[in-house]
Amino acid sequence: MDFGVIVSKSVLLFISFIFWGAAAGLFYVGAHVLNAYKEYDPFLQNRDALLPPIIIIAVAVVMMVIGIVGCCATLRESKIGLGVFLVIILLIFTAEMAAFVLGFVYKGKIIAEFHDSMSKAFAAYDGKSENSRSVDYLQQELQCCGVQNYTDWIGTQWFIGNHTLPLSCCKQGPAFKNCTGQLSEKHLVNTQGCEKIIDLRDLLNYAMLIVLAFAIVKFFGMLGICVLACKKESQGYQSLSTGVFA
């Protein structure tokens, strides 16, 4: 067997294994972003924001299948199988680039919308509505207070009527059980804003870099298939294997 063919097959098998690892990584990233969107659903009104993570998860599932197809096609040395593998890789590469572009295009819009929706939700807080419960849950879970910081509550309907911060701004623990939300009790409340803790910008940037990295891997996979196909054509390399991909 020609050395070039051996190297090309080794590279393709390696890439098939990378497909499985990439599928696991993409599924984790997509699920993490989607879960973050669902957790902060009251602050996200545009459903287009869910598009990038859904595409990432769909790509992850397909990539797992592609890894299996790639291994079978490479081991059986099937020209047809490798051709199918090339087409599928090209489709996945296109989908990943689409997800990357969508993430880049919608990133600013998602962040701006999230800020506006969160500001409106905090301004409408009354301590009783479903929206208020969402705000309380957010502040308790993230140990934050306000959008940018705790002073954002000053001037809201809640603060004007009660002259205190919501109790969800209070720090958790036995040492803070006497917290009443008074501004004079600054040492008993969380002062950092929720938006800074969530930091959607870093989360989206991380997801986009992961998608771009895997797209580059697909590009080298397509090159590997082309090299193997050219070797078989130029040297008359024929497979003795038969089966599904033969």
Side-chain angles (χ1 to χ4, degrees), residues 181-192:
Q182 297 288 338
L183 286 180
S184 58
E185 302 175 341
K186 183 179 177 182
H187 62 288
L188 297 179
V189 300
N190 298 298
T191 57
Q192 187 174 16

Side-chain angles (χ1 to χ4, degrees), residues 16 26 28-29 57 73 105 125 129 135 144 167 187 202 217 231:
S16 295
L26 280 176
Y28 172 80
V29 171
I57 292 176
V105 170
Y125 181 91
S129 66
V135 171
C144 58
L167 292 180
H187 62 288
D202 284 348
V217 171
K231 286 288 184 180

Side-chain angles (χ1 to χ4, degrees), residues 51-68:
L51 192 56
I54 290 176
I55 292 179
I56 293 174
I57 292 176
V59 169
V61 173
V62 176
M63 283 175 60
M64 183 65 69
V65 178
I66 300 304
I68 298 175

Side-chain angles (χ1 to χ4, degrees), residues 79-92:
K79 184 176 180 180
I80 295 177
L82 290 173
V84 172
F85 194 29
L86 175 61
V87 172
I88 295 176
I89 290 178
L90 180 60
L91 293 175
I92 296 297

Side-chain angles (χ1 to χ4, degrees), residues 28-63:
Y28 172 80
V29 171
H32 183 67
V33 175
L34 189 60
N35 182 66
Y37 284 170
K38 288 182 177 180
E39 185 174 349
Y40 309 123
D41 185 68
F43 309 113
L44 289 170
Q45 299 174 353
N46 191 340
R47 297 298 93 186
D48 290 341
L50 299 176
L51 192 56
I54 290 176
I55 292 179
I56 293 174
I57 292 176
V59 169
V61 173
V62 176
M63 283 175 60

Side-chain angles (χ1 to χ4, degrees), residues 143-160:
Q143 289 292 282
C144 58
C145 185
V147 179
Q148 297 293 331
N149 56 60
Y150 75 104
T151 60
D152 291 336
W153 283 104
I154 301 175
T156 62
Q157 294 179 358
W158 171 265
F159 189 86
I160 292 174

Side-chain angles (χ1 to χ4, degrees), residues 92-102 211-212 215-216:
I92 296 297
F93 175 80
T94 302
E96 287 177 337
M97 292 308 299
F100 177 80
V101 172
L102 283 172
V211 171
L212 180 61
I216 293 174

